[in-house]
Amino acid sequence: MVHSANPIPARVENTVVPGVEDTVIPGGPKSSLDGPFMKPTTADGLVNLSPHHEDHLPGGILETDEERERRWFVGSIDQGTTSSRFLIFNGEGDPVASHQLEFENLYPKSGWHEHDPLELLRSVEECIDEAVRKFVDLGYSISDIRSIGITNQRETTVVWDSVTGEPLHNAIVWPDTRTQALVRELKSRESSDSLLDLCGLPLSTYPSSVKLLWLLRNVDSVKQAYEEGRLAFGTVDSWLIYRLNGGANAAKPVHVTDSTNASRTMFMNLRTLQYDDKLLGFFGIDRTKVQLPKIVPSSDPECFGKLASGPLAGIPIAGCLGDQSSALVGQCGFSPGQAKNTYGTGCFLLYNVGTEPVISKYGLLATVAYDFGRGRKPVYALEGSIAVAGAGVKFLMNNLGFGTQSSDITSLAESVPDNGGVVFVTAFSGLFAPYWIDDAKGTLFGITQHTTKAHIARATLEATCYQTRAILEAMEKDSNHKLESLAVDGGLSNSDLCMQTQADVCGIPVDRPRMRETTALGAAIAAGLATGVWRELDDLKEVNRNGRKVFLPQMDKAKADRLFRKWEQAVEMSRGWVREDNSDFE
């Protein structure tokens, strides 16, 4: 059973439709315990409780703690690569109100990917305003929102002036590849081999460290702020928390991050969960010249401050998780051996390895899964990162005109029985785990006069499934344990064809929840744990368990192995495309 603090007593039947933006639960609170707007009162304004109820309450007390807890809600900021969202969850993990906004992604040069940090902030603030308006329109009270969690795109790097609180450059987004030459330079250093064991990440264009170093070398305003000691650095969580608390105008500016986000910078020691002088020294970062965010647990009632303005002013930010860690928490993957795969812009597979980090020998990342503090040990994960998943679908729509919405690509792919021999290595930003090939580019193989849009659409969906299998095989080698099933979420998981293909390619069941907002739910769980909505992880066993769909493997194993070998052949053939002699075309 869920803890008594979890549900509102009159559970509404029509819940949010997964994948549909801005949907809310129709009908507000119905019972006398479900929000102040619906409570019948007596002439003196007191709540009209039943005689039996009053007999069991001390004098002057109108409702029990348990009854008050039933009305608690948690807000969740979900700031992603293409959109920002704000969702409000009840104690059963169901979203009752939400709002989502897309924002502009900037591509100033080939391989460059940027965001305007102020636009990220504005989109979050507008989503909060609109979701809260819907929440109140349903008859709920803002005072019943206990706290707020934040989950965010990781590695994306923001720099700002600590005096003015204003950004010094556009944010450099996680798949940006402008640092390729810099990474090659860093890899040539003799001490580069020692980094992986300290921070869990290999040198690549992926982490925040190389993005900050590029900014210091190439942007005068950043370089000057660094020399004058007013450069503030952070990932998106730090930027949002700083500004939502009032920024430079706050009495005491809040500049923090949690360990899941800090573990993506290459500056944090994976075991101590603190910045490491050897790591900072390798990148030439002088910590007296740059203000690094303080690393705190992922769940805490005070460290992240409170919203300074807007309809939720004064409500604490009590949870913070990088998006992929948040999805693992949202899937309640709290036991070693549990894994989830999130199919978003990219694709990210996290495998819970317990309270000791496992440094991969097979091309995976070691990362912090979550750290809920209060005497609990941090939990670690192995991670496989795929740069292109949903981004491949958007590429077909936006660049090649294959459709106007994601479902069009699935419908197109379903119109043919197979890929017609086409294999698409979607290496738009090189290949991430487990290959880590920086010099690959997106490559289509097997095109003939028989090839149609439908074959390319199917090959695009399959590319994510094949790379997921490669990651799972690496995880099996690192952990000496074969995964028995895979929990999935994210936009691309809405495609039944893609999920069935994933089950067929990997030969294991694929488990998809009905409510697929698991990334946002994870941040809500972190905040709720800090503020009493849930007390312990055991209280979450039944959260988001109803209506799950399991895809079972249907393909012959020999055929699946044959198709995977063809994918591996295509990966090898995509190597070496980026070379110094053709840098004008990178």
Side-chain angles (χ1 to χ4, degrees), residues 172-407:
I172 299 181
V173 186
W174 57 271
D176 185 285
T177 58
R178 74 185 69 187
T179 55
Q180 284 177 333
L182 177 56
V183 169
R184 287 194 290 269
E185 173 197 324
L186 293 171
K187 284 182 176 180
S188 69
R189 295 182 183 177
E190 189 173 334
S191 56
S192 64
D193 291 343
S194 64
L195 303 183
L196 181 65
D197 187 61
L198 286 174
C199 67
L201 305 181
L203 269 170
S204 73
T205 59
Y206 194 27
S208 308
S209 55
V210 295
K211 295 173 171 60
L212 176 60
L213 190 53
W214 186 93
L215 288 165
L216 287 170
R217 289 187 180 185
N218 293 279
V219 180
D220 289 340
S221 60
V222 176
K223 192 184 310 180
Q224 183 177 350
Y226 178 74
E227 293 300 332
E228 295 175 1
R230 54 185 173 82
L231 176 66
F233 155 85
T235 43
V236 170
D237 59 308
S238 296
W239 165 247
L240 292 178
I241 291 167
Y242 170 75
R243 290 297 295 253
L244 291 172
N245 273 275
N249 297 322
K252 187 178 181 181
V254 179
H255 189 198
V256 299
T257 189
D258 90 301
S259 54
T260 68
N261 280 294
S263 71
R264 316 303 295 188
T265 62
M266 289 193 82
F267 296 148
M268 188 191 82
N269 186 301
L270 202 57
R271 294 167 180 83
T272 66
L273 303 189
Q274 296 300 321
Y275 295 114
D276 189 287
D277 287 336
K278 183 175 180 180
L279 292 169
L280 291 167
F282 177 85
F283 293 103
I285 302 298
D286 183 345
R287 70 161 76 197
T288 67
K289 294 182 177 181
V290 60
Q291 297 177 30
L292 302 172
K294 180 182 179 182
I295 302 171
V296 299
S298 312
S299 177
D300 190 277
E302 297 179 353
C303 288
F304 304 108
K306 299 178 179 180
L307 266 65
S309 60
L312 300 184
I315 291 180
I317 303 169
C320 179
L321 289 160
D323 52 8
Q324 304 314 318
S325 288
S326 195
L328 182 68
V329 171
Q331 291 273 18
C332 295
F334 300 128
S335 300
Q338 291 183 298
K340 70 89 200 174
N341 201 14
T342 296
Y343 301 78
T345 301
C347 194
F348 302 88
L349 202 158
L350 256 67
Y351 180 94
N352 184 327
V353 297
T355 56
E356 293 293 330
V358 174
I359 304 301
S360 176
K361 299 178 182 178
Y362 299 96
L364 302 177
L365 311 180
T367 193
V368 179
Y370 53 85
D371 175 11
F372 289 150
R374 293 196 297 175
R376 303 181 183 96
K377 290 184 177 181
V379 172
Y380 295 91
L382 283 170
E383 176 176 341
S385 306
I386 300 170
V388 175
V393 171
K394 281 191 173 291
F395 170 77
L396 296 186
M397 293 188 299
N398 299 340
N399 295 41
L400 302 184
F402 277 27
T404 58
Q405 50 190 6
S406 300
S407 58

Side-chain angles (χ1 to χ4, degrees), residues 22 27 47 59 97 102 112 128 149 221 251 277 302 360 395 411 426 502 511 529 563 572 576:
D22 302 342
V47 176
E102 291 196 0
W112 291 31
I128 292 174
S221 60
D277 287 336
E302 297 179 353
S360 176
F395 170 77
S411 297
T426 51
Q502 189 69 83
D511 182 358
L529 282 170
L563 292 172
E572 289 304 310

Side-chain angles (χ1 to χ4, degrees), residues 118-137:
L118 293 175
E119 188 178 5
L120 297 185
L121 176 65
R122 284 192 295 268
S123 67
V124 166
E125 290 176 331
E126 184 172 340
C127 286
I128 292 174
D129 291 349
E130 287 300 308
V132 170
R133 180 186 60 78
K134 296 172 185 177
F135 182 72
V136 172
D137 286 347

